[in-house]
Amino acid sequence: NQSREKITASEEKYRALFENSIDGISIRSKDGKFIDLNNSLIKMLGYDSKEELLKLDIYKDVYVDKSDFLKINSWEKVSDIIRLKKKNGMILWAEVTPRIVTDSKTGVYYENIVRDVTSRIEKEEEIKILNFYDKLTGLHNRVYFEEEIKRIDNRRYFPLAIILVDINELRIINDTFGSEAGDEVLQKVADGLKRSCRQEEIIARWGGDEFIIALEKMTEKDIGKVSERIIENCSKIFYKNITINISLGSSIKNDESEKLREIITEAESRMLRHKLFELSSPSSSTILSLERALWETSNKTEEQPTRLKTLDLK
């Protein structure tokens, strides 16, 4: 009798802990059915009653994907972050600590402690966005590109192409119309690059007025087509009446013996040669359109166009 009383007291204590825990707790069978769950988990998943959840196929109705339940269906008592579906279809991120119990009466069952960590994951994602994205253009930044390029510097992705793009005379636009004008031009060029490339290709802001693109499995002919698209899309960009002009250069890594840094340097050298050619041309479209815009908006017919000639174009 005394032994039975101890067992009863232990069961009551466990039940009180189970029901009053601020974390969700579930007990489920191996075939994906809930045996029991506490109020915290019911509320967390957005259901009105325990009975609703007891009818569900957990693998189909609660886990988002097969990869989520595979993470915690092991004999190891290790916490993992998985995705769960709420009743309204929304996804929550949960830290789940699993425990597999072997009971002489009920056999093997899973006991999970579930903690909602959605807000933590969202904050981590926000930090990741701040760390890996350029705030002005919405493209990836240099830090992200340098990390990602390590992943794709692999024979699976060869030939691996790099394109460098530079906005010509952006400093003149900044000096003439202010930094807000320069920011608008950067955003427009970034949009032009996105329209020119496939979604899976990595586009990043490389520096102040430079962008870099990594393209997998590309031939010289393919790169020529992408470059043509970039030039075509960016030649349609205007600020006020000013035509925006870009320079670009490309290079391809064909095998592991070539160093990617040297490929990037070669692309940059070709882009600079293109830029110098453009800037040395007396018919530079940006310079001509700047002169025309200033001529039209100023009562002074000579002073401001003359000022352009004194600006450093390098």
Side-chain angles (χ1 to χ4, degrees):
N1 289 338
Q2 207 171 28
S3 177
R4 184 172 292 176
E5 285 174 5
K6 284 183 179 180
I7 292 170
T8 302
S10 178
E11 287 176 348
E12 287 175 354
K13 185 179 179 181
Y14 171 80
R15 174 53 60 176
L17 289 170
F18 180 85
E19 292 297 346
N20 297 315
S21 171
I22 59 172
D23 290 326
I25 303 175
S26 72
I27 298 170
R28 62 180 180 81
S29 63
K30 291 175 70 177
D31 63 354
K33 292 288 184 181
F34 283 121
I35 298 169
D36 200 1
L37 57 161
N38 68 354
N39 287 326
S40 292
L41 187 56
I42 295 167
K43 290 178 182 177
M44 192 186 299
L45 295 175
Y47 286 84
D48 300 317
S49 69
K50 183 186 295 187
E51 287 68 32
E52 283 184 282
L53 279 157
L54 292 176
K55 296 174 184 176
L56 299 180
D57 180 331
I58 300 170
Y59 297 144
K60 180 182 174 183
D61 301 319
V62 179
Y63 291 121
V64 171
D65 189 77
K66 186 178 180 181
S67 61
D68 292 303
F69 67 76
L70 285 176
K71 285 182 181 179
I72 58 169
N73 281 4
S74 71
W75 288 91
E76 297 178 17
K77 189 179 178 182
V78 179
S79 296
D80 215 330
I81 306 294
I82 66 168
R83 298 163 301 165
L84 300 176
K85 282 187 283 190
K86 299 176 73 170
K87 183 180 180 179
N88 62 7
M90 291 184 68
I91 306 299
L92 69 85
W93 289 92
E95 182 179 44
V96 179
T97 304
R99 184 168 76 101
I100 298 178
V101 181
T102 304
D103 186 86
S104 57
K105 293 180 181 178
T106 57
V108 176
Y109 63 86
Y110 293 83
E111 183 180 79
N112 292 333
I113 297 173
V114 185
R115 179 169 295 173
D116 187 346
V117 292
T118 304
S119 59
R120 189 185 92 196
I121 297 297
E122 287 175 348
K123 284 177 184 175
E124 288 173 359
E125 286 298 311
E126 286 174 12
I127 292 168
K128 191 183 292 184
I129 288 170
L130 289 173
N131 287 340
F132 289 148
Y133 283 85
D134 176 58
K135 188 176 179 182
L136 177 65
T137 62
L139 298 177
H140 290 295
N141 60 19
R142 185 166 183 152
V143 174
Y144 175 88
F145 187 89
E146 290 186 338
E147 285 299 313
E148 192 67 4
I149 204 71
K150 294 174 187 174
R151 179 185 66 82
I152 63 173
D153 189 8
N154 184 298
R155 67 174 67 182
R156 281 186 308 173
Y157 304 109
F158 296 163
L160 178 61
I162 298 293
I163 298 178
L164 262 294
V165 177
D166 180 276
I167 305 173
N168 297 336
E169 298 105 14
L170 183 65
R171 190 158 55 137
I172 297 177
I173 293 170
N174 279 325
D175 290 345
T176 308
F177 298 105
S179 59
E180 288 184 5
D183 289 348
E184 186 177 327
V185 170
L186 283 163
Q187 289 166 341
K188 287 182 175 183
V189 171
D191 290 339
L193 296 178
K194 283 188 277 190
R195 289 196 306 272
S196 305
C197 298
R198 296 174 301 184
Q199 192 172 3
E200 63 268 24
E201 289 160 352
I202 307 167
I203 314 171
R205 188 174 175 192
W206 190 239
D209 56 1
E210 289 183 356
F211 300 89
I212 191 166
I213 308 166
L215 309 98
E216 304 166 10
K217 297 181 179 179
M218 284 278 163
T219 65
E220 291 283 357
K221 188 176 180 181
D222 295 330
I223 287 299
K225 289 179 180 177
V226 176
S227 299
E228 285 174 9
R229 283 203 303 271
I230 291 171
I231 291 168
E232 183 183 357
N233 283 324
C234 291
S235 67
K236 298 173 183 175
I237 296 171
F238 297 89
Y239 178 78
K240 297 184 183 294
N241 294 324
I242 300 163
T243 305
I244 303 306
N245 198 3
I246 64 163
S247 297
L248 60 79
S250 63
S251 188
I252 296 179
K253 177 170 180 172
N254 291 294
D255 59 65
E256 291 178 325
S257 66
E258 298 171 293
K259 293 182 180 178
L260 190 58
R261 288 290 167 191
E262 293 176 1
I263 299 299
I264 294 173
T265 300
E266 178 61 25
E268 193 164 26
S269 296
R270 291 175 178 175
M271 179 268 291
L272 288 171
R273 284 198 293 272
H274 184 191
K275 185 180 182 72
L276 288 170
F277 175 79
E278 286 290 323
L279 291 176
S280 63
S281 169
S283 59
S284 171
S285 59
T286 306
I287 294 294
L288 290 175
S289 52
L290 269 167
E291 289 184 348
R292 186 169 57 251
L294 288 172
W295 188 279
E296 290 172 355
T297 57
S298 174
N299 289 325
K300 299 176 183 179
T301 58
E302 291 293 334
E303 290 179 14
Q304 291 194 43
T306 301
R307 177 173 172 264
L308 279 174
K309 295 174 185 177
T310 67
L311 292 171
D312 182 6
L313 303 183
K314 295 181 182 179

